[in-house]
Amino acid sequence: MMMMSGEMWTQLGSAVASLMFAWAMFQQYFPYELRRHIEKYGQKLVGLVYPYVQITFNEYPGDGFVRSKAYIAIETYLMANSSSRAKRLRADMERENQSLVFSMDDHEEVTEEFKGIKLRWASNKSIPSRQSISFYPREDDKRYYTLTFHRRYRDVITKTYLTHVMDEGKAIQVKKRQRKLYTNSGSESWNRYTYRRTMWSHVQFEHPATFETLALEPKMKQEIINDLITFSKAKEYYAKVGKAWKRGYLLYGPPGTGKSTMIAAMANLLQYDVYDLELTSVKDNTELRKLLIDTSSKSIIMIEDIDCSLDLTGQRKKEKEKDEDKEKDLVKKAKNEDDSKSSKVTLSGLLNFIDGLWSACGGERLIVFTTNYVEKLDPALIRRGRMDKHIELSYCSFEAFKVLAKNYLDLDSHHLFTTVGRLLEETNMTPADVAENLMPKCAEDDPESCLENLIKAFEKAKEEARLKAEEEERVKKEEERLKAEEEEKQKADKEEKEKGECAEEVKDKKISDEEVK
């Protein structure tokens, strides 16, 4: 039996060697065109008896140097759902959060079941026919996934299953991605990860602000949260009503009331990237459109202190005001022409950026303006449809103070809260000032001493407000007195002038009568 087994293995080895020799001769001596036709018809013959369909997803499709979005979504999906069943894994270090991720190794297969249908995913890698040095990974690492399933389930797989894989993969990417804070760099730069030029530079977005820590009235806070969540789930609704999937927020109020912090809380709630657009570094309207095109979905585009960004936020002037400022405008225009770096962004360009046709490229975006003086903004800039929701962030209230006391002192109640509540009603103080006074300055500071410091700050602010009001009242009375004196003087001058005119008329009449005589 051992001899028979040895003979069988010998014969099998000889058969395999003969097949390999025949294949080598076929590859070497048969012309490419003939081989192509033989392979083509050979695959057709196999297809008659082979009941399975195979779909290939390449990492770098065509001649592009950007990874296929479909490949990335499948890779993410398999990492989360199928890699745990693979026997051979590949470990990589993520570029952004520097943590290990595991995926299927090359030439590894996993099986999956979808609605009772069995299918098979395989990770493959093609070896280039010749070795070459290239700056692009696609020349050396031609990886691809293959999906194999029975042909009777073609419609279910292509129309339902693959859509499920893509949606699931994209959702996992959004959940696991490292969010970024972008700023416009003023010139195009090369992105080494996506192999394309971009007009934005970025850092990791790691702001800790949340709505739980935001000093705001609970009712207003919940209203904003509900509005944001409703927007993030309203893709089909916006498509049904024929609107671009975007929403504008105008945050206004005195300095220190938490406008920038609210933007960070909005980004953390929705898991959005943040684009901080600096208008003064944008050359013209064309560059502004390019910046918009280069933003991604699931993002917040913010322009802080819009009333200070260029000369485009003032209300349209009347003809009389235009005539009075004509000389000033000419001087300013000449100065801007001399300055080659001056921005030429216009109000019209900004309005088209917010609500024009170009604003519909992409989706799921929030556009947020902040300002300290909302009355300075042009009505066309903040009308509904552009800035859909106006949020006033005012001085600190008692409810907002309790949030700050919980954040900074870990206090839910204290006997000094009553005093603080009374002072809040009598004195205006921003949440930023309240937080600064609540923050311990040394190791010996305890919650009670911090509250006492806040009460002292309130009393000081109250006294300063009283002195300021008295000074303003004194200045007002002085201005009224000077105005009354000026009016009296003008009245006296007018009466004196009228008397002089009357005397002159009498004199002229007397001279005229003498001449007649």
Side-chain angles (χ1 to χ4, degrees):
M1 290 182 65
M2 291 179 62
M3 292 177 63
M4 291 177 62
S5 177
E7 291 178 0
M8 184 182 67
W9 282 109
T10 301
Q11 292 176 0
L12 181 61
S14 299
V16 171
S18 300
L19 287 173
M20 293 178 63
F21 178 77
W23 177 251
M25 292 299 99
F26 176 77
Q27 292 280 358
Q28 184 172 358
Y29 293 106
F30 275 68
Y32 172 75
E33 291 295 328
L34 180 59
R35 283 190 285 116
R36 187 167 64 85
H37 286 292
I38 292 174
E39 291 175 358
K40 175 182 176 181
Y41 291 108
Q43 290 176 0
K44 286 186 175 181
L45 289 174
V46 173
L48 295 176
V49 295
Y50 187 69
Y52 294 96
V53 176
Q54 190 177 80
I55 302 177
T56 302
F57 301 89
N58 293 302
E59 183 177 11
Y60 293 93
D63 296 327
F65 300 108
V66 180
R67 297 182 76 200
S68 167
K69 292 182 179 179
Y71 181 92
I72 295 172
I74 293 170
E75 183 180 46
T76 306
Y77 174 82
L78 293 176
M79 283 181 187
N81 296 282
S82 301
S83 295
S84 58
R85 300 192 298 273
K87 295 180 180 179
R88 293 184 298 114
L89 298 173
R90 183 176 69 246
D92 294 313
M93 182 76 75
E94 287 188 341
R95 294 189 184 100
E96 295 171 346
N97 53 19
Q98 298 298 310
S99 61
L100 281 174
V101 293
F102 298 94
S103 59
M104 293 167 51
D105 198 4
D106 298 329
H107 310 296
E108 177 68 2
E109 290 186 357
V110 292
T111 58
E112 191 173 32
E113 188 171 323
F114 178 75
K115 294 183 178 180
I117 303 171
K118 291 184 178 180
L119 43 87
R120 185 172 69 252
W121 283 103
S123 174
N124 298 289
K125 176 182 177 182
S126 61
I127 301 174
S129 58
R130 58 180 180 178
Q131 299 295 327
S132 60
I133 299 175
S134 173
F135 295 102
Y136 304 105
R138 65 176 294 274
E139 295 293 334
D140 300 324
D141 299 332
K142 293 186 177 180
R143 289 188 169 88
Y144 58 93
Y145 285 111
T146 55
L147 173 63
T148 306
F149 54 91
H150 200 283
R151 59 190 175 194
R152 75 166 65 100
Y153 304 117
R154 179 191 293 267
D155 289 342
V156 177
I157 298 299
T158 55
K159 296 179 181 179
T160 306
Y161 174 70
L162 287 178
T163 302
H164 162 73
V165 170
M166 296 300 160
D167 293 342
E168 187 74 13
K170 291 175 182 177
I172 296 171
Q173 288 176 43
V174 171
K175 190 180 297 184
K176 294 178 62 177
R177 71 191 173 114
Q178 173 63 52
R179 291 178 298 118
K180 299 180 181 66
L181 173 61
Y182 294 86
T183 183
N184 49 314
S185 54
S187 60
E188 291 187 339
S189 58
W190 184 262
N191 190 319
R192 64 181 182 277
Y193 298 141
T194 59
Y195 303 105
R196 66 187 183 91
R197 293 189 176 277
T198 178
M199 303 187 70
W200 298 92
S201 57
H202 70 267
V203 296
Q204 293 184 7
F205 181 76
E206 297 176 340
H207 200 290
T210 63
F211 276 96
E212 286 75 15
T213 61
L214 195 63
L216 198 64
E217 292 283 348
K219 185 177 179 180
M220 178 184 290
K221 187 186 298 186
Q222 191 59 47
E223 180 185 342
I224 297 170
I225 291 174
N226 293 340
D227 188 85
L228 291 169
I229 293 176
T230 302
F231 166 79
S232 67
K233 298 179 180 179
K235 180 179 181 180
E236 294 180 358
Y237 177 78
Y238 275 82
K240 184 182 74 172
V241 300
K243 289 186 63 177
W245 192 14
K246 63 178 183 60
R247 189 161 176 80
Y249 282 79
L250 174 66
L251 309 182
Y252 65 97
T257 51
K259 295 182 286 293
S260 299
T261 306
M262 175 168 283
I263 294 175
M266 294 164 71
N268 286 329
L269 175 69
L270 300 177
Q271 297 294 302
Y272 283 3
D273 293 325
V274 179
Y275 289 84
D276 184 8
L277 178 59
E278 178 55 54
L279 282 179
T280 55
S281 63
V282 181
K283 294 180 182 178
D284 50 31
N285 295 335
T286 302
E287 184 172 304
L288 188 63
R289 285 194 295 271
K290 290 181 180 178
L291 286 166
L292 176 64
I293 295 171
D294 212 16
T295 59
S296 62
S297 59
K298 293 185 179 296
S299 61
I300 297 176
I301 303 173
M302 69 173 187
I303 303 178
E304 292 198 282
D305 298 321
I306 184 69
D307 54 297
C308 302
S309 299
L310 308 180
D311 187 21
L312 45 77
T313 56
Q315 295 185 1
R316 293 175 174 86
K317 297 180 179 180
K318 297 178 181 179
E319 293 298 327
K320 183 178 180 180
E321 293 173 340
K322 289 181 179 180
D323 293 338
E324 293 175 353
D325 294 342
K326 186 175 180 180
E327 185 176 352
K328 294 180 181 179
D329 291 341
L330 290 173
V331 174
K332 186 175 181 180
K333 183 177 179 181
K335 183 179 179 181
N336 288 339
E337 289 176 352
D338 293 338
D339 187 3
S340 60
K341 296 183 179 180
S342 62
S343 177
K344 296 180 181 178
V345 175
T346 63
L347 178 61
S348 174
L350 185 60
L351 296 180
N352 288 327
F353 172 86
I354 301 168
D355 197 34
L357 293 176
W358 289 98
S359 67
C361 59
E364 199 171 355
R365 289 194 186 97
L366 296 178
I367 300 175
V368 184
F369 290 168
T370 70
T371 179
N372 297 333
Y373 307 100
V374 67
E375 64 277 0
K376 292 184 178 181
L377 301 181
D378 193 293
L381 190 64
I382 60 176
R383 69 164 176 81
R384 305 295 178 179
R386 291 193 174 109
M387 293 293 105
D388 304 285
K389 191 169 183 63
H390 296 189
I391 302 174
E392 181 180 7
L393 300 177
S394 189
Y395 294 103
C396 189
S397 64
F398 184 64
E399 293 296 331
F401 159 74
K402 288 196 292 185
V403 175
L404 293 173
K406 179 65 177 177
N407 293 342
Y408 287 87
L409 305 177
D410 200 21
L411 287 178
D412 293 316
S413 62
H414 195 275
H415 67 88
L416 292 177
F417 277 19
T418 305
T419 305
V420 173
R422 176 178 56 80
L423 291 170
L424 280 169
E425 294 177 355
E426 300 173 353
T427 310
N428 290 332
M429 184 176 287
T430 64
D433 291 332
V434 173
E436 178 61 27
N437 285 288
L438 286 177
M439 184 179 293
K441 304 300 188 300
C442 61
E444 290 76 17
D445 285 346
D446 57 7
E448 185 163 349
S449 63
C450 292
L451 289 172
E452 290 173 351
N453 291 336
L454 177 61
I455 290 172
K456 291 178 182 178
F458 270 120
E459 292 173 347
K460 183 179 178 181
K462 184 178 179 180
E463 180 64 19
E464 290 176 351
R466 185 184 66 80
L467 295 175
K468 183 178 179 181
E470 291 178 354
E471 179 65 18
E472 289 177 352
E473 184 66 22
R474 187 189 64 79
V475 171
K476 183 179 178 181
K477 289 181 178 179
E478 182 66 18
E479 290 176 351
E480 290 176 352
R481 185 184 64 81
L482 293 175
K483 185 178 179 180
E485 291 180 354
E486 183 66 22
E487 290 176 352
E488 289 292 333
K489 183 178 179 181
Q490 291 178 357
K491 184 177 180 180
D493 292 343
K494 184 178 180 181
E495 291 177 352
E496 185 68 25
K497 185 178 180 181
E498 289 176 352
K499 290 180 181 180
E501 290 176 353
C502 290
E504 189 70 23
E505 289 177 0
V506 171
K507 183 178 179 181
D508 292 342
K509 185 177 181 181
K510 184 177 180 181
I511 294 173
S512 177
D513 292 341
E514 290 177 353
E515 289 177 351
V516 169
K517 291 179 180 180

